[in-house]
């Protein structure tokens, strides 16, 4: 059974076709600049040269049409006909309180997704465009929506409620939702396997550290706290996002003459590692500058490591202990120095890293040494595979 996974952004579309008997990727690709000049599709299949198609794509439907054509192309395609696609899994960003798990898409689900759009105005409409275009192109194929927020619907009230007037929760659904749920779920399952234990018996902290970054406390397989909030702006310092700041800074800046949109733009696009270092939002660039003695680059990294470490401390308190800490995503999987800097302040948890395994990159491995009281692991995340697994389970 082949499952097509679609991740639709406002002007981009990522896809993967997986053979779920082996969980192997048959083909994957990326379309960029949909609806803008210079639309481009890059399609790859293992063992074949990359195919690049530069052609105007005014809509997501046109882009998806070209993706389907690439998948069945006699030269570089990987299936004979679209009938070999048994189901489609869509990444959906915000499921609000409506969706606590993945769901088979029907008209009612689409209506609910439209209602959730208010909470994710940049992401959900793009996801919906992708879903609707796919339904037109593959009308008889079952489709499943997999939400970034769903895994965190198990948070208890004390973790998800903001201490604002209660009617703001009732009126506008203002609460912590959390994101990266598909990734946190995937790596927690893989960590339990690596530790040779049952997920239901473990207290884990998953650190998804990429351009966007969040931590998740996972007790007995369930998310009990996470660092992003109503939106993905909350929590850690990120590539360009500020994470948690004193909320009074916002009216302070507005009183200084900034518009609300300007403040929003500063917090989302000009802050974080970029804002502090003044160099780049990319951790590799900032690590490079810090190594050459740039003090602001070093400060940007110090803030990042400090926030990850203190949030780990908070989640140990939330779960009354921790058995395993997981590092994942671009920085978490690759930056030996960041992992060492974060874990260097966790000696009270009995953590000691093994410098040899910690120097490995991008493979699932235990990086704490054998005497460490808490197991520390690197687990490469695979959100597409998690989406495909959920899709297979529901669309069968
Ligand atoms: P996102 O999916 O949120 O865009 P990723 O998970 O791809 O982010 O992570 C991207 C981040 O990971 C970038 O800031 C990049 O610099 C960082 N990264 C990737 N490889 C390394 C590395 N070897 N050392 C340090 N940082 C790295």
């Amino acid at each position: 059974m082949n499952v097509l996974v679609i991740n639709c952004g406002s002007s981009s579309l990522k896809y993967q076709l997986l053979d779920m008997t082996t969980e192997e990727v048959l083909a994957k690709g990326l379309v960029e600049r949909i609806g803008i000049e210079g639309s481009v599709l890059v399609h790859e299949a293992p063992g074949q040269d990359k195919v690049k198609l530069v052609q105007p794509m005014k809509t997501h439907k046109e882009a998806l049409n070209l993706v389907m054509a690439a998948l069945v192309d006699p030269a570089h395609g990987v299936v004979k006909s679209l009938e070999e696609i048994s189901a489609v899994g869509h990444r959906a960003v915000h499921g609000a309180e409506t969706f606590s798990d993945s769901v088979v898409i029907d008209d009612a689900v689409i209506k609910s997704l439209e209602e959730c759009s208010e909470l994710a105005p940049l992401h959900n409409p793009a996801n919906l465009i992708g879903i609707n275009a796919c339904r037109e192109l593959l009308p008889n194929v079952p489709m499943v929506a997999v939400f970034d927020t769903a895994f965190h619907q198990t948070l208890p009230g004390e973790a998800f409620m903001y201490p604002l007037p209660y009617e703001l929760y009732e009126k506008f659904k203002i609460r912590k939702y959390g994101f990266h749920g598909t990734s946190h779920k995937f790596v927690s399952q893989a960590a339990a396997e690596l530790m040779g234990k049952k997920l239901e018996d473990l207290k884990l902290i998953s650190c998804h550290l990429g351009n966007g970054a969040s931590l998740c406390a996972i007790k007995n397989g369930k998310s009990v706290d996470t660092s992003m909030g109503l939106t993905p702006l909350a929590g850690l310092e990120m590539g360009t996002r500020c994470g948690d700041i004193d909320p009074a800074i916002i009216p302070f800046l507005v009183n200084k003459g900034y518009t609300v949109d300007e403040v929003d733009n500063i917090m989302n696009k000009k802050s974080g590692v970029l804002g502090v270092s003044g160099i780049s939002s990319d951790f590799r660039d900032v690590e490079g500058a810090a190594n050459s003695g740039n003090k602001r680059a070093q400060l940007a990294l110090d803030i990042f490591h400090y926030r990850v470490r203190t949030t780990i401390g908070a989640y140990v308190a939330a779960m009354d202990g921790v058995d395993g800490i997981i590092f994942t995503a671009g920085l978490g999987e690759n930056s030996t120095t960041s992992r060492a800097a974060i874990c260097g302040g966790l000696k009270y948890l009995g953590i000691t890293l093994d410098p040899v395994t910690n120097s490995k990159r991008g493979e699932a491995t235990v990086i704490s040494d054998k005497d460490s009281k808490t197991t520390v692991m690197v687990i490469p995340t695979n959100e597409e595979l998690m989406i495909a697994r959920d899709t297979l389970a529901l669309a069968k």
Side-chain angles (χ1 to χ4, degrees), residues 143-202:
M143 308 218 178
V144 170
V146 179
F147 298 89
D148 275 14
T149 50
F151 184 56
H152 304 300
Q153 278 297 302
T154 45
L155 258 60
E158 68 266 29
F160 79 68
M161 277 302 287
Y162 295 122
L164 289 163
Y166 197 80
E167 61 263 28
L168 294 182
Y169 168 58
E170 292 175 313
K171 250 196 222 162
F172 304 119
K173 298 187 177 156
I174 293 178
R175 52 158 284 176
K176 177 186 278 198
Y177 290 99
F179 298 86
H180 290 145
T182 311
S183 173
H184 291 302
K185 182 174 164 186
F186 179 83
V187 296
S188 62
Q189 291 176 354
E193 262 179 52
L194 191 64
M195 293 170 79
K197 301 228 164 101
K198 283 197 192 139
L199 188 56
E200 297 74 39
D201 298 334
L202 288 171

Side-chain angles (χ1 to χ4, degrees), residues 191 194-195 203-207 209 308 312 322-328 332 335-336 338-344 346-347 349-354 357-358 363-379:
L194 191 64
M195 293 170 79
K203 295 171 182 172
L204 298 169
I205 298 174
S206 154
C207 310
L209 310 179
V308 173
I312 288 174
V322 61
D323 302 304
I325 296 176
I326 307 157
F327 286 98
T328 193
S335 178
T336 303
S338 279
R339 293 193 299 252
I342 292 162
C343 293
L346 297 175
K347 294 200 181 64
L349 293 176
I351 288 178
T352 39
L353 290 191
D354 176 338
T357 48
N358 186 38
E363 56 180 283
T365 180
V366 172
I367 61 169
S368 47
D369 76 16
K370 58 178 181 8
D371 299 324
S372 183
K373 288 205 188 76
T374 307
T375 309
V376 185
M377 292 155 277
V378 171
I379 312 260

